[in-house]
């Protein structure tokens, strides 16, 4: 509902939520906690937001999608916010795309989300899509969940759509790959699957032969699948939710169970930088490092 108040058009809280993607609760909390926004009130006492404030909220939303904390930017003027956005690395197009994808998750518009993901994949190709679209989106979704702006069902909605698009693209390469033969999975307590899919996308694009068992494979079954399947590498993913101590113990246990001829690669936030405590296990810190680990393996085994 747009009404004329002085020269500035105003919007009610529902319209601002739709426009900025900031929930009504967040708008009210910020008003109390930071003194911004400062809505007017209509005859019924309902909040009305002048368009200048809505524009500022849009800019603040974009900076938050880039990882900025609300407290850090909410006091800035519109000019300062624009300058901050201007300083953002040339990811404005990506940021805008991510912003709208986050919107689709919030509004349960899965068809538009899937279409936007497919569009990005088309533009970027499999490897860049995983690294430059899915990785930052994971962060943004995780942050939005942490701020209570999305709930677990929306995390699932997001995961399913990303999974469909990545699986579809990877599926086109099934069986085409050569060496190494890489078996991908997670341990029983890890249900985050996107890390695995991003790795598979990266490796398949490099011509590796990958087989994913999905998440939660018990160690003895993983051992027999790796040995009986003649795999060269077992790759395991550990999200930030997985206790690092447990990851190290479980990885060392599997290392002792697997023949030395099968390499082990471990990745994800929970094991990042933990290489020193994991002898004979290659900790891979990023998708780019994944390509390096692959090249190292080929040099060592295929000369
Ligand atoms: C989607 C999601 C969910 C979905 C998962 C759906 C599914 N089936 O996959 C659901 C809703 C189920 C979920 C549940 C939970 N989640 Co969750 N989740 C996420 C989210 C948004 C994306 C997950 C993901 O797959 N990320 C990809 C991860 C694995 O990749 P990465 O660690 O960044 O690793 C990078 C590289 O290292 C490399 N890599 C990764 N793995 C590997 C493996 C190999 C071999 C190699 C070479 C490279 C490699 O690729 C990645 C590229 O970016 C993350 C946010 C985030 N930032 O990740 C939160 C997040 C991981 N979850 C979190 C939490 C807390 C949980 C729950 C405990 C919440 C709860 N109380 O229920 C549960 C735990 C479930 C469990 N037992 O595992 C927190 C963890 C925070 C912490 N420090 O503990 C996060 C970080 C959100 C947040 N910001 O707080 N989650």
């Amino acid at each position: 509902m747009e009404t004329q108040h002085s020269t500035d058009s105003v919007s009610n809280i529902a319209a601002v939520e739709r426009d900025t993607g900031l929930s009504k609760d967040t708008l009210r909390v910020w008003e109390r906690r930071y003194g911004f926004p400062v809505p007017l009130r209509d005859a019924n006492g309902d909040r009305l937001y002048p368009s200048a404030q809505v524009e500022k909220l849009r800019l603040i939303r974009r900076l938050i999608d880039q990882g900025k904390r609300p407290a850090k930017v909410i006091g800035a003027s519109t000019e300062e916010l624009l300058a901050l956005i201007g300083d953002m690395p040339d990811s404005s197009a990506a940021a805008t795309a991510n912003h709208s994808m986050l919107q689709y998750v919030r509004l349960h518009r899965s068809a538009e989300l899937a279409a936007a993901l497919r569009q990005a994949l088309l533009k970027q190709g499999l490897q860049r899509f995983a690294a430059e679209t899915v990785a930052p989106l994971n962060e943004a979704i995780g942050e939005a969940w942490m701020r209570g702006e999305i709930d677990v069902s929306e995390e699932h909605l997001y995961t399913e759509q990303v999974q469909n698009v990545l699986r579809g693209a990877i599926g086109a390469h099934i069986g085409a790959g050569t060496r190494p033969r890489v078996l991908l999975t997670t341990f029983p307590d890890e249900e985050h699957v996107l890390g695995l899919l991003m790795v598979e996308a990266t490796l398949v694009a490099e011509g590796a032969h990958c087989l994913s068992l999905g998440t939660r494979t018990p160690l003895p079954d993983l051992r027999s699948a790796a040995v009986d399947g003649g795999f060269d590498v077992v790759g395991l993913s550990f999200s930030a939710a997985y206790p690092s101590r447990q990851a190290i113990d479980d990885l060392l246990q599997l290392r002792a169970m697997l023949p030395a001829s099968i390499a082990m690669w471990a990745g994800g936030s929970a094991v990042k930088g933990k290489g020193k405590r994991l002898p004979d296990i290659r900790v891979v810190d990023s998708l780019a490092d994944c390509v390096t680990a692959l090249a190292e393996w080929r040099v060592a085994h295929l000369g």
Side-chain angles (χ1 to χ4, degrees):
M1 170 192 55
E2 298 267 338
T3 55
Q4 265 336 88
H5 253 272
S6 73
T7 56
D8 204 355
S9 68
V10 292
S11 311
N12 64 23
I13 196 166
V16 175
E17 178 182 51
R18 263 196 313 281
D19 182 332
T20 64
L22 295 165
S23 69
K24 296 186 186 77
D25 289 348
T26 300
L27 292 168
R28 296 189 195 104
V29 168
W30 285 4
E31 184 185 329
R32 256 196 325 278
R33 186 180 302 165
Y34 304 119
F36 182 82
V38 197
L40 309 165
R41 298 290 175 149
D42 67 11
N44 312 323
D46 292 332
R47 291 174 171 81
L48 293 174
Y49 297 83
S51 59
Q53 291 191 26
V54 178
E55 173 50 25
K56 213 177 141 186
L57 287 168
R58 272 199 221 102
L59 298 175
I60 291 169
R61 156 92 268 143
R62 283 191 57 194
L63 286 166
I64 288 174
D65 281 350
Q66 287 297 307
K68 290 265 186 297
R69 296 236 158 275
K72 291 263 181 300
V73 294
I74 205 152
S77 69
T78 301
E79 291 62 39
E80 285 161 341
L81 292 170
L82 284 168
L84 280 170
I85 286 170
D87 293 348
M88 276 192 295
D90 179 35
S91 62
S92 53
T96 312
N98 281 6
H99 170 61
S100 46
M101 290 193 221
L102 210 53
Q103 273 293 84
Y104 296 142
V105 172
R106 285 195 188 91
L107 301 168
H108 295 200
R109 284 156 56 180
S110 46
E112 283 108 321
L113 174 63
L117 289 166
R118 282 196 297 273
Q119 187 61 28
L121 173 63
L122 215 51
K123 270 199 210 142
Q124 294 173 316
L126 202 42
Q127 272 184 346
R128 282 189 53 219
F129 173 67
E132 295 169 25
T133 291
V134 181
L137 261 178
N138 285 345
E139 292 294 325
I141 292 281
E143 298 274 327
W145 172 76
M146 220 164 51
R147 284 194 302 270
E149 287 165 13
I150 66 169
D151 62 25
V152 167
S153 70
E154 281 137 1
E155 278 194 301
H156 280 286
L157 179 153
Y158 162 74
T159 305
E160 289 305 309
Q161 296 309 323
V162 173
Q163 203 163 197
N164 294 346
V165 171
L166 276 174
R167 269 261 141 263
I170 291 168
H173 299 272
I174 285 293
T178 56
R179 305 276 302 283
R181 290 168 53 77
V182 182
L183 184 64
L184 293 168
T185 192
T186 72
F187 286 147
D189 293 340
E190 176 60 86
E191 68 178 282
H192 293 92
V193 72
L194 295 179
L196 277 185
L197 272 171
M198 296 156 85
V199 171
E200 189 176 358
T202 304
L203 292 173
V204 160
E206 293 293 324
H209 174 94
C210 291
L211 176 69
S212 177
L213 300 178
T215 58
R216 314 184 122 180
T217 306
L219 272 65
D221 305 284
L222 175 48
R223 182 196 180 286
S224 44
V227 173
D228 304 350
F231 285 93
D232 303 303
V233 179
V234 169
L236 295 142
S237 180
F238 304 86
S239 74
Y242 203 99
S244 295
R245 177 69 263 165
Q246 185 188 345
I248 291 169
D249 293 349
D250 296 347
L251 282 165
L252 292 175
Q253 193 187 342
L254 182 64
R255 182 67 276 177
M257 293 163 68
L258 281 176
S261 58
I262 298 181
M264 279 178 65
W265 294 352
S269 307
V271 293
K272 203 168 186 160
K274 302 275 189 309
K276 287 202 182 56
R277 300 160 69 178
L278 293 162
D280 303 324
I281 295 171
R282 173 75 159 82
V283 170
V284 182
D285 283 337
S286 67
L287 296 177
D289 189 25
C290 204
V291 178
T292 313
L294 183 70
E296 285 167 5
W297 186 92
R298 285 178 168 157
V299 168
H301 294 82
L302 308 178

